[in-house]
Every structure is written in C-alpha cells, then in structure tokens.
Amino acid sequence: MRNITTLSFTHNYKHLLWMVLTIAFGLWSCKSEQQTTETVTPFNPSQPVVVSDFTPKTGGAGQRLVIYGKNFGNDPSIINVTIGGQPAIVISAQGESIYCLVPSKAYEGDIEVRIGENQTPVIGKANEKFAYQRKMVVSTVIGYRNERGDEPWRDGKFKDPDQNKMASGFWEPSHMKFDPKNPKHLWVTFDNNNGLYLLNFQDSTVTKVRSNFNRPRSVDFTLDGDHMIIAEDRGGENDGATTLLSRGRNFLDTEILTRYRQCNGATVHPVNGEMYFNSYEKGQFFKFDMNKYFSQGLGQKDYETLFFVHDPQWEYKTFIHPTGNYAYIIVINRHYILRVDYNWEKKQFNQPYLVCGQLKSAGYTDGVGASVRLNEPYQGVFVKNEDYAAAGKTDEYDFYFTDQLNHAIRKLTPDGIVSTFAGRGSSSLNGNPWGYVDGDLRLEARFDRPTGIAYSEEEKAFYIGDRANRRFRKIALEGDN
C-alpha cells in the first residue's frame, strides 16, 4: 500500500517550506535582475539553445525549477518550456538560466525549451529527465451544479456531455460503505432522503435501488457480507431502528432487526460480528447479538444498553477499528471524538473516554487531545499506514474523518494527533475555508460541508460526499483520478 502519511505534509511544514523557497528564489531573482542590467545578452535565433542542467532533480506539481544553459535571452514571453509534455509557467529568464514552475501530470519528465517568436523556434532539450513525483489530489467524480442551482436529484451517469443524463442531487448528509463482496460497488444513504443508492464503478452509474426508508442514517454489512444493515432515525419507541437486507434478494427485502427511536447509526464488530447501534434520545449505546439472532433468533428489543454518551440529544456515530480492539465515537453535534475499548472476554465495549476535541466547543485547531477543535465531524474510516507496520507499531491505522463545518478532511493518528489532510486551500481566492476547487490537497482543494467518506483498498483512494457542493469527490494519486 502506498503511504498516505508521506503524501500529506502538515500545513505548517508546507508554509515554512514555501517561505524558505520564496526567500531563496527571491535572492536568485534579485541577483538575476542585476545580471540583466549588466551582462545578459538577448536571445540569438542564429545560435543553438543549450540545456545543460536543472535543479532540483525531483519534485511535484508547483515545484520551482531553475533550468541552466545558454542562449535563453531575457524575454520570458517568447520562451516555452514543457516538462513531460506539459506546459510549464515561465517566470523569468536571465541568459543562462530560466525560472519556471513544474506543471501537473508531467509524468515523463523530459524537459524541452523552445525560444522564438516565429514558427520555427530554436529548441533545446535536457539530456536528463526530471523525476516527477505524483501526489495526492482532489478531483470530482460525480455531480454538478448548474447556474441556477436547481439541478434535480436523479439517477444517471457519472459523466456525460448531456447534463440531463448525469446523476445529480446529493445535498443531504451522506453515509458511505464499500460492498465487502464487490469493491466496485459503493453504497450510500442520505439523511432526509428515503433511498438506498448504489454508486457503481463498473458501469459509472448512480442508481436509487429502493426508496422506502425513513431518514436512513448509515449502511453496514454483517460479518459474512451476506446481509446489509440500514439504521433509520425515526421518532417512535417502537419504530424500526435497524433493518436487515439480504444479498440473496438483491437487498430488496425488509426485516426489522431492532426497534427504538432516533437511531443515528449502526455498525458491526469486524471480528465477533455483534451489532452496535445508538439512540439520540438519551445517548444510549446498544449491543445486539447478531450471532444469536442468526443461530436461534432474537426479539426486536432483545438488545442490551451498555452505556450512555453524556446527555440526551447527543448525535453520534460509531466506527470500529479493523482489528476490533476499539472504536471511535464521533459526537457530531457536540464537536468531539470518544474512544471506547473492546473487552474481548465479555465480547462488548467498555466505557468511552475523550480522544480529541472538547464538549460544545466548535472551532478549527489541529493538535493533540482536548486542544483540538472540530466543527460537526460526521463520518470516518480507518486506513492502514505502512510506515506504522514497518516500524512494528501495535496500531497500524490512521483514522480519516470529515469535519463538516470546517469544510475539511482531518486525520487522527493512534497517538491522538489531529491534522488537516485535505481542504481549506486556495487562500488567494477569498478568506472563506469553503468552496469548490479540485487540486492539491492543502494548497488548492476546497470542500463545502463534506459528510460521507469511504476508502477503496483496491484503488488506495478516498471518496467524499461533498454535501453543499452536491458532488462526490475523490482523493487519489495524480493519474488515478
């Protein structure tokens, strides 16, 4: 697996790096300006353009690059530089050097300099290739906004020249889960929408598979993958809280598993198979024995209350670590995350404790523990970090989660460190952290109230339900988007 940690530097590190580079190139520019006024000879079309060297030798899109050689002249308007066949932005030229920016998708790395105003420019090529490093970027997979903002909620294709054939809508909070038996199928529910949706990456279509749910809040699967579990947020004590759908019937059947009011989510233990669900009413955390249900049957209220998450009207969702050793509880409307450890002897979770954020303290701050500030975090997913595995660490997984009103994707390490993984970029546009911009994770990309998140092990890519932008976004290496 590619190491996502090494592909995502912290914002502070990037800021410092850009400052150092800016100063360095500023000094180069000042020296070059002096050289221009004193010694630079204009480009001579009768002489060859020679590319002798360049620095640095490796980097990604946006990397500042200096090309060395002869007969470059001092007029950047007549200079064209391509790297890997992609046009680079030329900043300045000073006779024997050119200052430019590495373009995106410059995979091949060959450097070519063309100088001249006529149709037969003089061309110089570097003997050595620039080692282009692909980086994680944000792109758009599904959805659009028209100028009026009144596009309908409908099934359709991911992309099509005719917008009327494209899938659209998606303006409610989403919850996403890849099918354990088909990695090309991503299942999605939306709060305040009655449907169960399939994002099919085999034929690039979005389909509303069924439409008889009442505020579906989550989707998960049983341990064997043969059944899907939908949690519904309904108002009555005897209303269905969780519903079982069978793969053998194409998930079109309905069997109520448990009944209670205001369920925000349900999840299955990845090793022992029991189901955990909750209630917004008093913050109850329930356990339902799926193994006993399948082997001998259980009543719809034969579940156990393990604990209460603080007070009434605490909206939260639970996400269990792949090993089953613990789970994170994202408390959406109170802006913090709890951890609850698993008791393997009793086969149930113990009492929860704080991991990051602070009760009722919405904000935006990276850091550790209670110093962290979140603003309506929503869904999370565990992703294996190969560096942890190589170092022999006990916990090999980072936890990536959507931070809705911070318009960002955050990362929580096993040590309790929270950083911003993606979003809140393009600061030159305006002072807002939200918006719709694809590109570099931190320098460019913007989201607008992201909620759902899923990770494809097959692609090593994240999928994001970008609520207010009414789109599904993707985070993957350049070229894999």
Side-chain angles (χ1 to χ4, degrees):
M1 172 180 281
R2 299 183 184 99
N3 179 17
I4 292 173
T5 301
T6 60
L7 294 169
S8 174
F9 298 103
T10 65
H11 180 256
N12 288 337
Y13 179 79
K14 282 186 174 181
H15 182 68
L16 179 60
L17 180 60
W18 280 109
M19 286 180 64
V20 171
L21 287 171
T22 299
I23 293 170
F25 278 100
L27 292 173
W28 176 86
S29 179
C30 291
K31 182 179 178 181
S32 299
E33 287 176 6
Q34 183 179 0
Q35 181 184 9
T36 299
T37 59
E38 296 176 359
T39 62
V40 172
T41 302
F43 164 69
N44 185 345
S46 65
Q47 296 295 318
V49 169
V50 177
V51 177
S52 59
D53 200 4
F54 58 89
T55 187
K57 301 296 184 180
T58 184
Q63 172 71 56
R64 301 174 183 214
L65 186 73
V66 179
I67 301 171
Y68 298 102
K70 294 182 179 180
N71 196 26
F72 294 154
N74 58 3
D75 184 359
S77 68
I78 63 171
I79 299 175
N80 291 291
V81 175
T82 59
I83 304 173
Q86 304 297 321
I89 297 176
V90 177
I91 306 298
S92 62
Q94 307 298 339
E96 296 183 349
S97 60
I98 296 173
Y99 167 32
C100 64
L101 301 180
V102 176
S104 61
K105 302 180 181 180
Y107 306 130
E108 297 302 318
D110 49 302
I111 297 176
E112 182 177 280
V113 177
R114 291 172 173 256
I115 307 178
E117 297 180 292
N118 53 36
Q119 294 182 347
T120 56
V122 182
I123 301 173
K125 297 182 179 181
N127 293 325
E128 183 181 1
K129 287 189 176 184
F130 178 76
Y132 186 79
Q133 295 178 338
R134 293 196 299 165
K135 59 183 178 181
M136 298 287 276
V137 295
V138 177
S139 63
T140 299
V141 181
I142 308 168
Y144 69 93
R145 296 292 303 269
N146 61 34
E147 294 180 356
R148 301 180 304 277
D150 62 354
E151 63 283 346
W153 197 310
R154 67 178 170 217
D155 294 354
K157 300 178 181 180
F158 288 5
K159 301 291 183 183
D160 195 277
D162 182 357
Q163 278 191 345
N164 293 322
K165 295 180 180 179
M166 290 174 58
S168 58
F170 322 128
W171 55 74
E172 297 289 359
S174 58
H175 189 282
M176 308 160 67
K177 182 76 174 183
F178 271 102
D179 192 321
K181 291 194 171 184
N182 190 337
K184 297 295 186 180
H185 285 182
L186 179 57
W187 295 92
V188 186
T189 58
F190 298 91
D191 193 4
N192 299 307
N193 180 294
N194 64 2
L196 170 65
Y197 288 80
L198 172 62
L199 276 55
N200 189 335
F201 292 94
Q202 290 172 308
D203 60 13
S204 299
T205 61
V206 177
T207 305
K208 189 176 187 179
V209 174
R210 55 187 295 173
S211 56
N212 61 336
F213 293 110
N214 189 331
R215 291 195 68 190
R217 298 298 305 274
S218 71
V219 54
D220 204 356
F221 289 85
T222 53
L223 200 56
D224 59 10
D226 287 339
H227 295 84
M228 181 187 294
I229 297 172
I230 303 294
E232 294 181 81
D233 194 341
R234 306 177 70 179
E237 183 175 343
N238 294 313
D239 285 337
T242 58
T243 300
L244 190 72
L245 317 179
S246 63
R247 187 180 297 276
R249 297 184 180 180
N250 298 316
F251 305 122
L252 296 176
D253 56 334
T254 299
E255 182 175 348
I256 294 178
L257 276 178
T258 61
R259 294 184 182 272
Y260 203 72
R261 60 167 59 95
Q262 298 174 303
C263 179
N264 301 146
T267 188
V268 174
H269 193 276
V271 179
N272 289 334
E274 66 268 19
M275 179 183 73
Y276 296 90
F277 68 106
N278 76 324
S279 174
Y280 176 82
E281 179 199 34
K282 298 178 181 178
Q284 302 100 310
F285 185 90
F286 302 118
K287 172 189 174 183
F288 184 75
D289 192 336
M290 293 296 299
N291 297 313
K292 186 177 290 186
Y293 168 82
F294 283 118
S295 63
Q296 62 190 58
L298 275 180
Q300 294 169 340
K301 291 205 171 186
D302 288 341
Y303 45 81
E304 179 183 358
T305 303
L306 297 185
F307 54 79
F308 296 81
V309 174
H310 212 275
D311 289 323
Q313 300 183 345
W314 252 235
E315 180 187 9
Y316 66 89
K317 292 176 179 286
T318 303
F319 305 95
I320 305 177
H321 192 277
T323 63
N325 287 332
Y326 66 88
Y328 286 136
I329 296 175
I330 292 182
V331 186
I332 299 168
N333 63 342
R334 305 301 178 189
H335 323 296
Y336 63 96
I337 298 177
L338 300 170
R339 171 169 163 159
V340 53
D341 295 323
Y342 191 72
N343 187 318
W344 288 95
E345 183 178 351
K346 294 181 179 180
K347 294 185 178 180
Q348 66 183 40
F349 285 103
N350 297 322
Q351 295 292 314
Y353 54 93
L354 181 70
V355 170
C356 65
Q358 189 170 8
L359 174 66
K360 297 183 181 180
S361 295
Y364 173 68
T365 306
D366 287 337
V368 182
S371 68
V372 172
R373 291 295 178 269
L374 313 174
N375 199 343
E376 294 196 11
Y378 199 80
Q379 186 181 1
V381 62
F382 287 92
V383 178
K384 191 173 184 179
N385 186 321
E386 292 296 343
D387 279 354
Y388 299 166
K393 291 190 175 183
T394 303
D395 192 340
E396 300 176 354
Y397 290 82
D398 290 316
F399 184 68
Y400 294 80
F401 62 95
T402 52
D403 196 358
Q404 188 175 189
L405 295 186
N406 278 323
H407 315 285
I409 313 303
R410 312 285 288 275
K411 182 178 76 171
L412 170 60
T413 72
D415 296 324
I417 301 170
V418 173
S419 60
T420 300
F421 176 62
R424 301 175 68 94
S426 297
S427 57
S428 60
L429 291 178
N430 53 52
N432 300 325
W434 64 84
Y436 172 60
V437 182
D438 285 338
D440 183 275
L441 297 184
R442 296 292 283 116
L443 296 178
E444 298 172 300
R446 285 191 179 191
F447 301 93
D448 196 342
R449 283 171 277 180
T451 50
I453 183 171
Y455 184 73
S456 168
E457 291 286 352
E458 183 178 73
E459 296 182 85
K460 312 305 180 199
F462 296 90
Y463 288 89
I464 311 295
D466 195 4
R467 176 187 176 186
N469 279 322
R470 303 184 185 182
R471 293 173 170 94
F472 285 97
R473 314 285 290 280
K474 182 178 181 179
I475 299 176
L477 280 174
E478 286 178 282
D480 294 344
N481 290 73

